[in-house]
Amino acid sequence: MNEQKYNLDQSLAELDKLVDLSAKETDKTACEALAEKARTIYEQYPESEDIALRYARILFNLSVEQENVEDLLNTTKEVKQIFDSFKHSEDIALHYTRTLANLSFEQENVEDLLNTTKEVKQIFDSFKHSEDIALHYAMALANLSFEQENVEDLLNTVNSVKQIFDSFKHSESIALHYAMALVNLSAKQDQVEDLLKTSKAVKQIFEQFKDSEDIALQYAMVLYNLSNRQNDIKERKKTISDLEALTLKFQHSENIVLQYAMALVNLSVEQDNVEERLNTVNEVKQIFDSFKHSESIALRYAMALVNLSAKQDNVEDRLNTVNEVKQIFDSFKHS
C-alpha cells in the first residue's frame, strides 16, 4: 500500500469517528470543533468524494445544533461548496438539502425563506427520484408557508408541496408536511368556502394515513380553523362533531383534544341559550377531567365557564360557576 493511499484510508477512518461524535454531540461549540477538524482533512483531499461526503455529514450534524441564522448560513455555504464540487453525488446533495431545511426552520424573513426553498428546488429538480430530497424540499416549503401572510402566495406554496406529494403519495412524512402547509393556509383564509376546500384536502390526507397522530393533529387544527369562521351554528356543530370523532380515536393526544376544547369554547360564545351553553361547558369539563395536568385545557375550561357566567341570571348558579373557576385557578396558581 503506497503512502498516499494509506494516508487517505487513515483520513477516512478519522472522519468516520468524527461523524459518529458529531451525531451524538449536542454542544454547538464542541460540534464546531469537530467540523473544523473535518475541514482540515477535507482540504487535504478536495478531490475525494468519500472524504467530501463525510465532511458534509458533519456539517449537517453541526447545523442541527445551530439556532443562529448567521451561523446556519455559514454552515450551509460550506456544504454548498462541497456540493458544487460533486454535483453528481446524491448523498452529498441530500446532506445539502438537509442543511438547507434546518436553515429554513430558523428563518423568519419570507424573502430569505424563498431563496432557501429555491435552492432546495434546484437540487430536487436534479434528483426528482429521491424521496429523501423531496421530503426536505417539502419541509422547507412548509416552513415558508408558516411565515407567509398573503393567501395567494400561500396557495402557490401549498401547490408546490402538493406536486411533491403527488409524486410520493406513499410517503407519510411528505404527506404530513403537505398537511402542515394546508393548515398554515387555512389560518389565513377568511372565506368559509375556501376553508372547506382546504379542510377536505387535509381530510383526504388523513384518510390515507388514519393511524398517524401527527397528521390527525393537522386535521384537527384545520377543523378548528374552519369552525372558527363558520357563523352558521348548525354547520359549526357539524365541524365540531368531526373534531369530537378525532378525539375519540386519539383520546391520549392532548394536542388534538385541545383543538376540540378550543372549538367548544368558541361555540359557547355564540350560544344565547343558557341550557345549550351549559351543555357545551360540560363537554369541556369532561375534557378537563381527562387532562387535569394540562394548563392549556384548564384555561379553555375556565374560559367556557366565564362565557357561561355571562348568561346566568341566577346568583347561586353564577356563584357556583365562579367557584369552579377559582378551583381551576388554585390548581395552577403555582405553575
Side-chain angles (χ1 to χ4, degrees):
M1 185 182 290
N2 62 46
E3 187 71 14
Q4 179 72 13
K5 180 66 176 173
Y6 178 74
N7 287 339
L8 178 58
D9 286 344
Q10 278 189 323
S11 297
L12 286 168
E14 179 64 20
L15 278 174
D16 284 336
K17 291 177 187 175
L18 294 176
V19 169
D20 289 340
L21 287 170
S22 66
K24 296 169 186 172
E25 186 59 68
T26 56
D27 180 75
K28 182 174 77 73
T29 304
C31 271
E32 287 172 343
L34 293 171
E36 182 59 28
K37 285 182 182 178
R39 184 181 66 81
T40 303
I41 297 171
Y42 170 67
E43 287 177 347
Q44 292 174 29
Y45 300 96
E47 294 179 1
S48 169
E49 187 173 321
D50 289 333
I51 294 276
L53 174 58
R54 286 159 175 79
Y55 181 35
R57 283 177 177 168
I58 291 163
L59 287 170
F60 161 69
N61 290 338
L62 169 61
S63 75
V64 173
E65 304 306 326
Q66 292 176 313
E67 295 178 355
N68 181 281
V69 172
E70 191 173 342
D71 290 341
L72 274 161
L73 273 169
N74 290 334
T75 302
T76 302
K77 286 175 183 175
E78 284 286 317
V79 187
K80 184 181 187 301
Q81 287 177 7
I82 300 168
F83 174 65
D84 285 344
S85 297
F86 300 93
K87 283 188 179 289
H88 63 276
S89 170
E90 187 174 318
D91 286 335
I92 291 173
L94 173 59
H95 284 85
Y96 182 31
T97 58
R98 285 177 172 172
T99 310
L100 285 165
N102 287 344
L103 170 63
S104 73
F105 189 78
E106 299 296 339
Q107 289 176 311
E108 296 176 355
N109 181 281
V110 172
E111 189 175 345
D112 292 340
L113 275 160
L114 276 168
N115 290 334
T116 301
T117 55
K118 284 176 184 175
E119 188 70 23
V120 183
K121 183 182 184 300
Q122 287 179 6
I123 303 166
F124 171 67
D125 286 343
S126 297
F127 300 94
K128 283 188 180 288
H129 62 278
S130 170
E131 186 174 322
D132 285 334
I133 290 174
L135 170 59
H136 288 84
Y137 181 30
M139 290 168 69
L141 287 166
N143 291 337
L144 169 63
S145 72
F146 188 78
E147 300 295 341
Q148 289 176 309
E149 298 287 337
N150 182 283
V151 173
E152 191 172 339
D153 291 340
L154 270 162
L155 274 168
N156 290 336
T157 301
V158 166
N159 285 334
S160 293
V161 189
K162 183 182 184 300
Q163 287 175 11
I164 301 169
F165 175 63
D166 286 343
S167 296
F168 300 93
K169 282 191 178 287
H170 62 277
S171 170
E172 186 175 317
S173 296
I174 291 173
L176 172 61
H177 287 86
Y178 177 33
M180 289 168 69
L182 285 164
V183 170
N184 292 337
L185 170 63
S186 73
K188 301 298 179 184
Q189 290 176 312
D190 293 321
Q191 298 300 314
V192 173
E193 190 176 343
D194 294 335
L195 272 158
L196 275 168
K197 289 178 184 175
T198 304
S199 65
K200 283 177 182 175
V202 182
K203 184 183 180 185
Q204 286 177 357
I205 300 168
F206 170 67
E207 286 178 343
Q208 187 178 338
F209 301 95
K210 281 185 179 291
D211 295 324
S212 169
E213 187 174 318
D214 288 333
I215 291 174
L217 173 58
Q218 304 307 312
Y219 185 32
M221 291 171 73
V222 80
L223 286 172
Y224 166 73
N225 289 341
L226 170 61
S227 71
N228 225 14
R229 295 292 183 189
Q230 289 173 311
N231 293 320
D232 186 287
I233 294 294
K234 190 176 178 181
E235 290 178 358
R236 184 180 286 205
K237 283 183 175 178
K238 184 184 180 303
T239 301
I240 290 172
S241 70
D242 290 338
L243 256 175
E244 182 183 14
L246 267 182
T247 63
L248 291 172
K249 182 174 172 62
F250 298 93
Q251 292 181 34
H252 62 280
S253 172
E254 186 178 320
N255 289 325
I256 291 173
V257 172
L258 176 60
Q259 303 299 315
Y260 178 38
M262 289 164 60
L264 287 168
V265 171
N266 291 342
L267 173 64
S268 71
V269 175
E270 304 300 326
Q271 292 174 316
D272 292 322
N273 183 285
V274 177
E275 186 90 19
E276 288 181 355
R277 195 172 285 202
L278 181 60
N279 290 336
T280 301
V281 168
N282 285 335
E283 287 183 56
V284 185
K285 182 182 186 302
Q286 287 177 10
I287 298 169
F288 173 64
D289 287 343
S290 297
F291 294 90
K292 283 191 178 290
H293 65 278
S294 170
E295 192 169 329
S296 296
I297 289 173
L299 172 61
R300 268 69 197 189
Y301 181 34
M303 290 169 70
L305 286 164
V306 170
N307 292 341
L308 173 62
S309 69
K311 288 292 178 183
Q312 289 176 314
D313 294 324
N314 184 288
V315 174
E316 189 176 344
D317 290 341
R318 188 173 288 190
L319 274 171
N320 290 335
T321 303
V322 169
N323 285 332
E324 189 70 23
V325 178
K326 184 179 183 301
Q327 285 178 18
I328 300 168
F329 172 72
D330 287 343
S331 297
F332 291 92
K333 64 182 177 183
H334 299 301
S335 60

